[in-house]
Structures are given as C-alpha cells and as structure tokens.
Amino acid sequence: MYVYSPAYYADFGPHVFPVEKYRLVHQALRESGVPASEFAEPEPATRAQLELVHTPAYLDDLEGCRLTERTAWSELPLTPEIVRLFVLSAGGTILAGRTALRSGRSVHLCGGFHHAFADRAEGFCYVNDLAVAVRALQREGAVERVAVLDCDLHQGNGTARIFRDDPTVFTFSIHQRDLYPVKERSDLDIHLPDGTGDAAYLEQLEVAVPAILDDFRPDLVLYQAGADPYRDDQLGSLSLTLEGLRERDRLIFGACATRKIPVAGTLGGGYARRVADTVAIHVGTCLAAREAVPVT
C-alpha cells in the first residue's frame, strides 16, 4: 500500500524544504504498527519513461548537473544526489500507481513535484513525477484516463501545462489564489482567498470531487496531498487545521472508494514551522488511505 525508499534523502543545504520528512513519515508509520510488508521500494524511472514527459535537452542538463535556463528556476542546488532523488521519486509514483491499480489505494511517501514543466525546473521540482507516472502507465496500457486531484497549497502549474488540452487527463487544483506560482489553466481550478479555513475549503471539495469522478470516470486518480494548506505553514496563508486536513484526506479516499476508482497519493509540499506538524499531516494522509471507507 505504501511506496518508500531509504534513498529519499539528499543534502539541500539550509532550505525551507524539510527533506528529512520522508524518513520521519516512514518511521512514524512503522511505530504506529504498519508492518514492513506494506511497504514497497521503487526503482528509478528510466530515461525512456522520463522522456515521455520531459525534453531530451532538459534531461541532459539534469544528468550533467548543468546550471542553464532550463534548470535555474528550481530554487534548489543541482547535484547528482539531488537528481537521483527526483528520478527515484518518479519511479516511486509509477509504482504507487501500479499498486493502486492492483489493491485500490496506495500512498507514495515522496513525490508530488507538480511545478516541473516538460522543459524546465521550477519551485523545488526537477522532475514532474505525477506526469511521468501518468504517461508511463498509459504507455503500459494499464490506464487510459487519469484524474490528477491536486490539493496542495500551490497550483500544480507544471502538471496543468503538460496535460493542457489532453482529453485523457483531467487536472484539478485547489490552491491559494494570491500566491506563487504564475497560474496555468487546469481543467478545473479553485482559487481560494487568503485565510480560507476548513469549512469553506471542504465545502468546495465536497462539490468538486464527486462531480469530477462521476463525469470524467477515470481509471486512476493521482491525489496530490500537500501538507501546506495548514494554518502554520511558512509559505502560505490558508487556514486549515490538522482535523480539516484529515477530513480532506477522508473525503478524497472515500469518494474514490465509493466509486471503486483506484487512487494513489503523493505527499507534496509541507513547510510548517514545526517539522513534526508536517510529518503528522502526511502520516494522517497515509492512514486515511489505509482506513478509507465509501462515502455518500
């Protein structure tokens, strides 16, 4: 049900991105009683899989760790260790998708790097693992139609651009309006004002998610479960509580369970002042997948 690798670590230097969260989420799940048998370890995405989304020139820059106009907007260092993390994460989201198709639900304890475009990096994202997973699973013939439900603080702009005008992929993003990034056009965007709290946020999801699932009827959902809508996140000013985020997760997994649509989660962003809060939110997402029940 879960995809994780001990190799989900790289030295980012002093940075707001708490890369240690992947290890801490895995540790917390094991300590909560989730057995080792419920974790699968991925292989890195292949160059051929990456080229289903990313341009050869951009991938060459990444492999060579070259600072160019294509890599410069990542806001991260560019080292072989960091590139390996992103390529492995793309393989992890592919595996999470395959696992969900077999078992109904899965969560990748990394991934959700939704700002990467086909030909350039952006916003802490070098490889768009969500897009790579969609294209790899389509190429394998495992799925035809995929819905990407992005519930991160920030719009999934790279994913929206990559799948723009593609009728086989539905992109949905609910995010803070007056905040990074420059917005692309998703199939459905919900732009929330600063200070949006639990009730207003969940009211929007309760309408949008069932409509997407019923109208688009995807073979698979990729759920970007960012922790950063949290009220104590350093990079935004939505005002969701821990309970509100847990209800968000229950709603998404439950709506998919009701319709028997496989769903694979990715953990996305999370920059709370206390790393322990980010970890708790991500653990809640993982447990919500494990405990999902159909909703009406």
Side-chain angles (χ1 to χ4, degrees):
M1 179 179 289
Y2 302 112
V3 174
Y4 171 73
S5 171
Y8 285 157
Y9 181 80
D11 183 3
F12 287 4
H15 202 279
V16 71
F17 192 110
V19 69
E20 69 273 20
K21 71 179 185 175
Y22 304 126
R23 174 184 58 81
L24 295 173
V25 171
H26 175 258
Q27 178 181 313
L29 288 170
R30 293 289 285 119
E31 290 174 351
S32 76
V34 178
S37 60
E38 291 196 23
F39 293 87
E41 189 166 343
E43 296 291 331
T46 66
R47 172 75 184 229
Q49 288 170 328
L50 297 174
E51 285 189 359
L52 295 173
V53 170
H54 294 290
T55 64
Y58 174 55
L59 293 174
D60 288 345
D61 285 347
L62 284 184
E63 290 175 4
C65 295
R66 294 193 292 265
L67 187 62
T68 69
E69 71 279 2
R70 290 180 283 265
T71 60
W73 295 98
S74 71
E75 301 177 66
L76 288 174
L78 183 54
T79 67
E81 180 189 32
I82 290 172
V83 172
R84 282 194 296 270
L85 168 61
F86 280 89
V87 174
L88 181 60
S89 178
T93 302
I94 294 170
L95 179 57
R98 291 182 186 140
T99 302
L101 289 167
R102 289 195 305 269
S103 64
R105 295 182 298 277
S106 68
V107 180
H108 181 198
L109 272 59
C110 190
F113 297 112
H114 58 171
H115 297 310
F117 287 73
D119 58 353
R120 62 182 172 87
E122 189 174 301
F124 311 163
C125 301
Y126 280 120
V127 173
N128 193 314
D129 59 291
L130 296 161
V132 171
V134 170
R135 290 300 189 222
L137 293 169
Q138 287 179 327
R139 176 62 61 89
E140 293 171 9
V143 297
E144 293 182 5
R145 298 161 65 81
V146 179
V148 181
L149 305 184
D150 194 321
C151 298
D152 200 87
L153 172 72
H154 308 95
Q155 191 209 36
N157 59 329
T159 310
R161 170 66 73 85
I162 288 165
F163 294 122
R164 187 170 58 186
D165 302 320
D166 182 341
T168 70
V169 181
F170 191 98
T171 54
F172 165 70
S173 183
I174 180 170
H175 49 262
Q176 188 173 337
R177 179 187 61 210
D178 300 319
L179 189 68
Y180 172 93
V182 175
K183 306 299 187 285
E184 296 287 337
R185 177 177 54 82
S186 306
D187 291 300
L188 176 60
D189 285 297
I190 297 177
H191 305 285
L192 299 173
D194 298 5
T196 296
D198 293 346
Y201 186 99
L202 294 169
E203 182 180 359
Q204 294 276 6
L205 275 191
E206 287 166 358
V207 173
V209 170
I212 293 166
L213 300 181
D214 291 339
D215 294 344
F216 186 68
R217 300 180 66 84
D219 302 311
L220 174 69
V221 165
L222 295 183
Y223 168 37
Q224 164 76 330
D228 40 9
Y230 179 49
R231 64 184 178 186
D232 201 35
D233 195 86
Q234 298 177 82
L235 298 189
S237 53
L238 295 183
S239 298
L240 272 68
T241 65
L242 295 174
E243 179 55 34
L245 289 163
R246 284 192 289 267
E247 184 58 31
R248 174 201 68 175
D249 295 335
R250 287 192 288 265
L251 191 159
I252 298 286
F253 287 114
C256 291
T258 298
R259 294 159 178 81
K260 297 181 170 57
I261 298 172
V263 53
T266 56
L267 295 186
Y271 316 95
R273 288 175 176 83
R274 296 177 65 251
V275 174
D277 287 343
T278 295
V279 171
I281 294 164
H282 286 328
V283 169
T285 299
C286 295
L287 296 179
R290 197 164 189 252
E291 299 161 0
V293 296
V295 295
T296 57

